[in-house]
Amino acid sequence: MEITRLPVEGYEEVYKATDPGAGLTAFVAVHDTTLGPALGGCRMWHYSREEDAVTDVLRLSRGMTFKSAVARTGLGGGKAVIIGDPKTEKTEELFRAMGRFVHTLGGRYTTAEDVGTNEADMLNLREVTPYVSGLPRIKGGSGDPSPYTALGVFLGLKAAVEARLGTSDLSGLHVSVQGIGNVGYGLAKQLKEAGARLTITDVHEQRLQEAASELGATVVGPNEIYAVDADVFAPCALGAVINDRTLPQLKCKVVAGGANNQLAEDRHGEALVEKGILYAPDFVLNAGGIINVSVEFMPDGYNEEESLKRVHNIATAIKDIVRTADEQQIPTSQAAFVLAQQILAEGRRKQDSGGAEL
Ligand code: NAD
């Protein structure tokens, strides 16, 4: 295996690994370990260009730093990407090779599932390195993080609705959900149980139809979801869905969903404010999964009760961010970023003073 270090400003460590025998081309980015060792999922995706994989691993690892900071997981931000089609190019040897790559970082980066990877892949990685989290419960891990992500999104969405619409009662509220996968489906189910009316979309036709009949939801095409006259829009599929093309179509009053990096650019946070739409910042709202994984690192190991208690704090975090944004007359996206920076600065001060409490 050949491992090359890539110098990237603002990142502690970035590496590329190639192992032609195992079919591996992968990147690991450790963005910031001020608050603890870096943790973030390992994505497998058929990037058409290597530059796209690098952009993704950099963007996602930075997001993990902010997500873990605000959720106070005691972890830093990192991420890994494997270039390849998760449907056709997965082999056990590929993930063992990825495990050997992760192991070379000596625990400064711990991996987990992400888009395109699952618990079985993590078990293959685990054969060659201990720096893997999110393993199945029977193997002593915290299991699939997505139910905790979906729970956190639901609780945070409720807090955002209360802040914008003055009620935490979701009955009769109309929510449009983009992407009915692990997180989107889990969210939609809880919304339905709380009495909300649902409009859903997905590019996976069979999954969409099954979810629609189970949830009694209205179905629209993937390009029609933005213009749905809903109270809340919940992006749970892709990043950059709040952009110059989609913004003029939005009729909702709240944007609150599980997808990472929902704003195409920072300025789109301001554009949402101008339209009177309250944005629940993605990296605060979707932290339930990382919170659940982080409990694995506590001295007594994984404990579901502790995890659920911490996931419930997401609602409080959303309320605090909305309050700060109101007081300082800034977009919620900026208020969340400022909060993450403050927590990181606090961590750096502690490090500089040798770990003593300030
Ligand atoms: P998933 O793959 O299970 O679900 C994504 C769904 O979106 C799929 O059903 C897919 O068909 C659909 N989709 C893809 N493109 C679409 C499009 N253009 N229009 C409509 N639907 C489309 O993934 P997931 O685990 O549910 O994650 C969803 C999002 O949440 C991702 O952005 C992920 O990064 C983020 N996220 C997930 C977790 C987690 O714990 N799983 C944690 C934090 C953030």
Side-chain angles (χ1 to χ4, degrees), residues 43 67 146 149 179 181-183 202-203 207 236-238 258-260 286:
R43 180 165 293 197
K67 190 185 298 200
S146 55
T149 305
N182 288 323
V183 175
D202 201 292
V203 288
R207 187 177 299 162
C236 295
L238 313 164
N260 281 315
N286 70 17

Side-chain angles (χ1 to χ4, degrees), residues 41-313:
C42 174
R43 180 165 293 197
M44 183 167 181
W45 195 249
H46 39 85
Y47 299 98
S48 46
R49 299 174 320 156
E50 213 168 282
E51 299 97 276
D52 298 339
V54 175
T55 304
D56 220 20
V57 82
L58 295 181
R59 213 171 39 97
L60 290 163
S61 60
R62 184 173 173 268
M64 288 310 296
T65 298
F66 301 144
K67 190 185 298 200
S68 254
V70 172
R72 297 190 186 268
T73 62
L75 296 167
K79 203 88 184 181
V81 300
I82 299 175
I83 300 181
D85 187 335
K87 290 199 188 80
T88 57
E89 291 180 272
K90 276 189 187 181
T91 62
E92 290 182 5
E93 183 45 27
L94 174 79
F95 284 97
R96 279 195 289 268
M98 187 64 201
R100 288 193 289 276
F101 178 24
V102 169
H103 197 71
T104 61
L105 279 101
R108 296 190 299 285
Y109 167 69
T110 294
T111 199
E113 298 98 326
D114 198 69
V115 175
T117 60
N118 56 34
E119 285 182 349
D121 304 325
M122 294 306 118
L123 284 173
N124 286 319
L125 263 125
R126 182 68 186 82
E127 285 180 23
V128 291
T129 181
Y131 306 121
V132 185
S133 57
L135 293 172
R137 291 273 167 91
I138 47 161
K139 301 279 178 188
S142 58
D144 177 8
S146 55
Y148 300 88
T149 305
L151 173 63
V153 174
F154 173 71
L155 297 168
L157 180 153
K158 251 174 89 167
V161 164
E162 190 169 0
R164 176 65 178 83
L165 303 171
T167 174
S168 59
D169 181 4
L170 300 183
S171 57
L173 207 81
H174 185 187
V175 185
S176 57
V177 183
Q178 179 185 45
I180 210 80
N182 288 323
V183 175
Y185 176 75
L187 170 68
K189 223 169 145 201
Q190 292 173 83
L191 289 166
K192 163 86 178 161
E193 281 159 18
R197 187 159 62 86
L198 298 170
T199 297
I200 62 176
T201 193
D202 201 292
V203 288
H204 193 302
E205 194 54 33
Q206 191 190 344
R207 187 177 299 162
L208 179 63
Q209 293 308 334
E210 279 169 12
S213 70
E214 195 195 317
L215 300 166
T218 304
V219 167
V220 295
N223 291 325
E224 293 160 21
I225 195 76
Y226 306 103
V228 172
D229 195 358
D231 299 293
V232 182
F233 171 45
C236 295
L238 313 164
V241 292
I242 306 296
N243 56 44
D244 292 338
R245 186 179 57 81
T246 60
L247 261 157
Q249 301 176 50
L250 296 182
K251 298 191 181 75
C252 59
K253 299 179 187 72
V254 173
V255 171
N260 281 315
N261 301 316
Q262 290 168 30
L263 304 180
E265 294 170 44
D266 291 346
R267 65 185 172 88
H268 294 121
E270 278 151 42
L272 284 171
V273 175
E274 279 159 24
K275 280 185 73 93
I277 298 172
L278 175 63
Y279 172 58
D282 47 18
F283 66 77
V284 181
L285 202 65
N286 70 17
I290 187 75
I291 291 171
N292 190 55
V293 168
S294 73
V295 176
E296 277 187 33
F297 293 78
M298 289 177 42
D300 296 331
Y302 183 68
N303 171 340
E304 187 172 31
E305 205 179 311
E306 181 60 31
S307 169
L308 290 172
K309 200 172 86 194
R310 288 169 179 238
V311 172
H312 275 77
N313 291 339

